[in-house]
Amino acid sequence: MARTPKSGPSEGKTPDTGVNRKGRAPDKAQLTQWYRDMLLIRRFEERAGQLYGMGLIGGFCHLYIGQEAIAVGMETVKKPGDQIITGYRDHGHMLAAGMDPKEVMAELTGRAGGSSKGKGGSMHMFSTEAGFYGGHGIVGAQVSLGTGLALADRYRGDGRVSFTYFGDGAANQGQVYESFNMAELWSLPVVYVIENNQYAMGTSIERSASETRLHRRGISFNIPGEEVDGMDVLAVVEAGAKAAEHARSGKGPYILEMKTYRYRGHSMSDPAKYRTKEEVDEVKKTRDPIEHLRERLEKAKVSEEDLKAIDAEVKKIVAEAAEFARTSPEPDPSELYTDVYLEAAQ
């Protein structure tokens, strides 16, 4: 595969211009759709936390509360056939990709109606129909797999892009840099999205990373990158469109460091005592992605009644998903032996 010359790395925050890459400000309908999608993730995750507390969800459960703008914003710049792959904080990405909330919630409870027939649980769900290639439980493993998806796209020449997500903790994994090297060397169409929520599993980035500006991690590989306000869906969309265009046009990989914040602990079993309640409350008060968008909607003259109607619709969807997850049957024991190996065509 012939190499394509690259421009050098860039850095700096994406300006909050409120416009997309074509120079058009999003209309009221688009803003409303983003609000609805982000609110769905928020309410879904809140209910998942409740089901976990009731003992209906076993194992680990990592909530996406606070990071909704990233999954929703990046979904906007995807095209049919593009792929998404991420780590175990994956429910928000599934919903943004269009997966049925009932199937996602049922998978959390290990029921047959789940997207992976109840055999994957919170951290291992997939939907090729939605272009979602899984949440992955091994830290950083999805980066190599997402690079492999991009390699397949490059071989096929289909113009598709692999959107590969990982966190600030995974950014220190060696396989990430092996993937960077391959992706740049072969000009692979991959956008690496680092969801930097500041604390990895439970250690602040200042204590765990010698270079805390993670968008600069690709410099030694000549991969351009930039820092983005991951709490602002408009900033996410603008930066995402730029990165996707770069990858899709044959210029190779691009790194987006989304500065974000998770409100809950690393998982449901984490009390998050490594940060103060005052710190979390300050972020909720000043940077919440949903409230930030709500303010934009109010300025766009969306009425309080319309916003309440969206909230009611979302709550109904989540309630139905929770009931489906609670009442769906458990997998038949025979399912233990299915989907283990791919049967060769006769």
Short mmCIF file of all heavy atoms in Angstrom, two decimals, residues 93 117 204:
data_model
loop_
_atom_site.label_atom_id
_atom_site.label_comp_id
_atom_site.label_asym_id
_atom_site.label_seq_id
_atom_site.Cartn_x
_atom_site.Cartn_y
_atom_site.Cartn_z
N HIS A 93 -22.49 4.29 24.03
CA HIS A 93 -22.15 4.14 22.61
C HIS A 93 -23.17 3.26 21.89
O HIS A 93 -23.52 3.51 20.74
CB HIS A 93 -20.75 3.54 22.48
CG HIS A 93 -19.67 4.46 22.91
ND1 HIS A 93 -19.21 5.49 22.11
CD2 HIS A 93 -18.95 4.53 24.06
CE1 HIS A 93 -18.26 6.15 22.75
NE2 HIS A 93 -18.08 5.59 23.93
N LYS A 117 -27.74 -12.29 23.45
CA LYS A 117 -28.49 -13.43 23.98
C LYS A 117 -28.26 -13.66 25.47
O LYS A 117 -28.39 -14.78 25.96
CB LYS A 117 -28.15 -14.71 23.19
CG LYS A 117 -28.43 -14.61 21.70
CD LYS A 117 -28.07 -15.92 21.00
CE LYS A 117 -28.27 -15.82 19.50
NZ LYS A 117 -27.87 -17.08 18.82
N SER A 204 -5.75 9.86 39.31
CA SER A 204 -5.81 11.06 38.48
C SER A 204 -4.74 11.01 37.41
O SER A 204 -3.66 10.42 37.59
CB SER A 204 -5.63 12.31 39.34
OG SER A 204 -4.30 12.39 39.83
#
